Amino acid sequence: MQRKKRRSYGWLQVCVHMAALLPLAWLTWQATQGALTANPIQAAEQRTGDTAITLLLLSLACTPLLTITQFAPFQRFRRPLGVYAFLYASIHFSLFVGLDYLFDFRAIWADTSGKRYIWVGLAAFVGLIPLAATSFTRMMRRMGKDWKRLHRVVYAVAVLAVIHFAWVVKGDLSRLQGDIARPALAVVVVALLLAARLPAVRKRLRRT
C-alpha cells in the first residue's frame, strides 16, 4: 500500500511540474510562431507576471489545504510551486530589463522613477531571491529555525506582488472602475491565506 501511495504521489508531482512549465512552453511556442499579439514583449511580460503571481499564491495555499484535507502531497508541492513562481518572476524581470530596455539602465530610471508599480514589483522580486536561494533541503537543515523565519517573508512578497498587479492593470478598486475583477480576486485570495495563518483559524481548519 505504501509503495502504491508513493507512486501515485510521484505522478502527482510530475503533473505539478508539467502544469507549472506548460505556460512557459506555450509562451515559447507562440513567440516562435509570431503569435504574441502586435506587442509580443509586452504580452510576454504580462503573461509571465500573471503566472508568477498565480504560482506564488498556489504555493501559499498548500499549507491551509494540507491542514484541511490532511493530504500529504500538498506539503511537497509548496516549495516547487514557489521556485517556479521565482522562475516566472525572473523571466518577467529579464524581459522588462533586457528586451524592453536592452539593459539601458539610464532609460529605465528616466521612464520608471515616478512609477510606483515598478518599485513595488521590484521589491517583490528582490524578496523572492533569498527564498528561492534557500528553498532546498540542504539549506533548510543548515538554517534550522531561521529557515522558517526567513520564509515567512513570502507573505509580504505576496502582498507586494498583488499590489504591483493591481496597479499594473490600472483598475480602481475604491471606485469600482477599470479592470478590477482579477486584482480583487487576488486581494481576496491573499487575505484568506493570511487569515489561515491565525491560530484560531488554524484550529478551525483542523476540525473541518
Side-chain angles (χ1 to χ4, degrees):
M1 286 297 291
Q2 287 183 349
R3 288 182 179 178
K4 288 183 179 180
K5 284 184 179 180
R6 286 178 182 175
R7 287 178 184 176
S8 65
Y9 293 170
W11 278 107
L12 280 172
Q13 285 183 305
V14 170
C15 290
V16 167
H17 286 289
M18 290 179 65
L21 289 170
L22 183 61
L24 180 58
W26 180 240
L27 177 64
T28 303
W29 169 256
Q30 287 190 306
T32 58
Q33 299 301 307
L36 279 179
T37 73
N39 192 338
I41 296 176
Q42 184 183 59
E45 285 178 7
Q46 290 174 347
R47 285 167 59 174
T48 52
D50 290 350
T51 305
I53 292 174
T54 300
L55 290 173
L56 181 61
L57 296 182
L58 286 173
S59 173
L60 294 178
C62 287
T63 298
L65 287 173
L66 173 64
T67 303
I68 295 170
T69 65
Q70 298 298 309
F71 187 56
F74 279 125
Q75 189 173 3
R76 299 180 183 181
F77 298 159
R78 176 174 171 136
R79 274 191 288 168
L81 288 172
V83 172
Y84 281 121
F86 175 71
L87 170 65
Y88 282 95
S90 298
I91 296 171
H92 178 71
F93 177 77
S94 299
L95 289 171
F96 175 74
V97 174
L99 291 184
D100 223 351
Y101 283 92
L102 299 176
F103 299 100
D104 187 343
F105 293 102
R106 289 185 180 180
I108 293 173
W109 175 257
D111 289 351
T112 65
S113 58
K115 295 179 180 178
R116 57 184 184 174
Y117 70 88
I118 296 290
W119 297 103
V120 171
L122 179 61
F125 176 64
V126 170
L128 279 176
I129 294 174
L131 302 181
T134 59
S135 62
F136 306 100
T137 304
R138 184 178 296 178
M139 288 300 298
M140 185 188 301
R141 290 173 180 170
R142 286 183 65 181
M143 294 180 67
K145 293 182 180 179
D146 290 334
W147 188 90
K148 284 188 176 181
R149 292 171 187 165
L150 173 63
H151 279 252
R152 285 173 188 159
V153 173
V154 71
Y155 290 93
V157 169
V159 171
L160 291 172
V162 168
I163 292 172
H164 169 72
F165 174 59
W167 284 346
V168 165
V169 300
K170 299 177 181 178
D172 190 339
L173 288 173
S174 62
R175 297 181 182 179
L176 299 180
Q177 294 177 347
D179 185 0
I180 63 170
R182 292 183 301 154
L185 177 61
V187 169
V188 170
V189 171
V190 169
L192 290 174
L193 291 173
L194 288 172
R197 288 191 54 81
L198 298 173
V201 176
R202 278 186 181 181
K203 288 181 180 179
R204 285 204 167 190
L205 290 176
R206 287 170 184 167
R207 292 173 185 171
T208 56

